[in-house]
């Protein structure tokens, strides 16, 4: 195997590993909800355990004297993007998973590539191609198909849960669209470390504003789940996906990300006894197909 092929293969492996790690997050949240249904506390615990890693990364990249200093504009952008892309998107995702299954929540969250297209049309004035219009139609038809099979299952909170997961997808899409230029100026690892540090501070501050310290008196398994969330579904995927982006590019990483809903459904079936009907699986396939149309560019 040539060096270039090996370099790319490692990038692909990192992208797949990142998807698998991210897919574990809704499963771990659901497991934690078996002990305590408090998104504020669980999110704070996750970020308390993740924060030391981000601070260490921020310190490490900050030692590079050759890097340009951050401007005030960069600092404001990092604070905003850390808030919207990691704090807000994570918090409403935690809230939404109180009301919908891990598989459905991930399927809705995976709408973010199509939302990136819509936001680019609105704010960056990019004209949509016919391919993108078709992809949007296919994707949202798939979500509608899945939702239609669940509306009569007695879950009155299903629309609320779906809306919260959609808000999470929207927040992450805003982060991607608005952050693309900032990442180029600041650097991916430095930007990620700083933005995640900001998000961690928001999550932890929210806990101290809304909950007493006594709320941390939780069963031991909750702490184990929170540590697993922090390491395997936050720190590791954030940095290995960043490296995968550098090696194989955003389009290929986004395409590999299509594995996300599939792996979450599999983990939900293995660990949570969740099931999906053939109609729901067909809807999921439509979502994946639409996202692949958006993210996979034809050869030129």
């Amino acid at each position: 195997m040539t060096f270039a092929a090996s370099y790319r293969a490692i990038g692909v492996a990192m992208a797949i590993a990142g998807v698998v790690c991210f897919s574990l997050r809704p499963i771990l949240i659901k497991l934690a909800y078996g002990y305590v249904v408090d998104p504020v506390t669980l999110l704070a615990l996750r970020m308390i355990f993740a924060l030391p890693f981000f601070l260490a990364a921020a310190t490490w990249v900050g030692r590079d004297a050759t890097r340009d200093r951050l401007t005030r504009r960069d600092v404001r952008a990092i604070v905003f993007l850390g808030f919207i892309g990691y704090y807000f998107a994570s918090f409403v995702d935690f809230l939404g998973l109180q009301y919908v299954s891990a598989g459905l929540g991930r399927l809705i969250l995976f709408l973010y590539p199509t939302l990136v297209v819509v936001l680019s049309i609105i704010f960056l004035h990019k004209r949509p191609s016919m391919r993108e219009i078709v992809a949007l139609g296919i994707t949202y038809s798939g979500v509608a198909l899945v939702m239609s099979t669940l509306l009569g299952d007695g879950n009155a909170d299903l629309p609320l849960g779906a809306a919260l997961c959609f808000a999470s997808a929207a927040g992450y899409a805003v982060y991607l669209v608005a952050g693309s230029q900032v990442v180029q100026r600041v650097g991916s690892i430095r930007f990620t470390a700083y933005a995640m540090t900001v998000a961690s501070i928001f999550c932890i501050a929210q806990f101290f504003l809304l909950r007493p310290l006594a709320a941390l008196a939780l069963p031991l398994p909750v702490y184990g789940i929170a540590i697993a969330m922090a390491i395997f579904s936050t720190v590791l995927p954030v940095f290995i996906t960043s490296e995968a982006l550098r090696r194989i590019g955003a389009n290929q990483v986004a395409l590999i990300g299509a594995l996300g809903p599939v792996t979450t459904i599999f983990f939900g079936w293995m660990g949570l006894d969740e099931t999906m009907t053939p109609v729901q699986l067909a809807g999921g396939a439509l979502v994946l197909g639409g996202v692949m149309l958006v993210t996979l560019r034809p050869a030129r």
Side-chain angles (χ1 to χ4, degrees):
M1 182 181 290
T2 65
F3 174 78
S6 176
Y7 185 84
R8 174 176 169 74
I10 292 172
V12 170
M14 285 182 159
I16 293 172
V19 169
V20 172
C21 288
F22 275 131
S23 298
L24 284 172
R25 187 180 71 183
I27 307 301
L28 293 171
I29 293 170
K30 282 291 193 180
L31 289 174
Y33 281 164
Y35 297 93
V36 55
V37 184
D38 182 7
V40 172
T41 301
L42 290 176
L43 184 56
L45 278 179
R46 170 195 174 199
M47 302 314 283
I48 285 171
F49 291 122
L51 181 57
F53 294 95
F54 297 127
L55 288 175
T59 302
W60 180 69
V61 296
R63 294 174 61 186
D64 187 352
T66 63
R67 291 181 180 272
D68 294 333
R69 293 175 62 86
L70 295 180
T71 65
R72 290 185 178 180
R73 177 188 173 195
D74 290 332
V75 171
R76 288 194 297 269
I78 288 171
V79 171
F80 169 74
L81 293 171
F83 173 86
I84 195 73
Y86 289 117
Y87 162 71
F88 172 79
S90 292
F91 184 51
V92 292
D93 186 36
F94 270 68
L95 290 174
L97 286 170
Q98 294 179 99
Y99 310 115
V100 300
S101 69
L104 177 59
R106 183 65 179 178
L107 194 64
I108 295 171
L109 184 63
F110 198 64
L111 292 174
Y112 76 85
T114 63
L115 293 177
V116 167
V117 172
V118 173
L119 291 172
S120 297
I121 293 170
I122 296 172
F123 294 105
L124 302 182
H125 307 295
K126 292 185 177 180
R127 297 186 63 180
S129 65
M130 182 56 64
R131 182 190 187 92
E132 289 170 336
I133 293 172
V134 171
L136 290 173
I138 292 173
T139 301
Y140 287 93
S141 295
V143 172
L145 184 61
V146 173
M147 293 290 292
S148 69
T149 66
L150 299 173
L151 290 175
D153 66 356
N155 182 4
D157 293 320
L158 176 65
L160 174 60
L164 288 167
C165 290
F166 184 81
S168 178
Y172 190 60
V174 169
Y175 162 81
L176 290 176
V177 173
S180 58
Q181 298 301 313
V182 183
V183 170
Q184 291 180 13
R185 293 196 305 269
V186 174
S188 61
I189 294 180
R190 182 163 63 153
F191 172 77
T192 299
Y194 290 171
M196 290 300 294
T197 297
V198 168
S200 299
I201 291 170
F202 276 117
C203 295
I204 296 167
Q206 175 182 253
F207 171 80
F208 284 110
L209 287 172
L210 301 178
R211 298 289 187 272
L213 277 176
L216 294 176
L218 298 168
L220 193 59
V222 175
Y223 281 90
I225 293 170
I227 292 171
M229 261 195 287
I231 296 174
F232 298 110
S233 295
T234 307
V235 176
L236 283 179
V238 161
F239 286 114
I240 61 178
T241 300
S242 177
E243 177 63 17
L245 283 168
R246 190 173 72 86
R247 287 172 178 261
I248 64 175
N251 285 346
Q252 292 299 309
V253 169
L255 183 61
I256 291 169
L259 293 170
V262 177
T263 52
T264 298
I265 290 169
F266 174 75
F267 289 139
W269 172 68
M270 288 288 291
L272 301 176
D273 296 325
E274 291 185 355
T275 59
M276 288 193 80
T277 66
V279 175
Q280 292 168 351
L281 290 173
L286 285 174
V287 173
L288 297 183
V291 170
M292 289 175 71
L293 270 178
V294 168
T295 55
L296 182 61
R297 297 288 185 265
R300 295 186 182 275

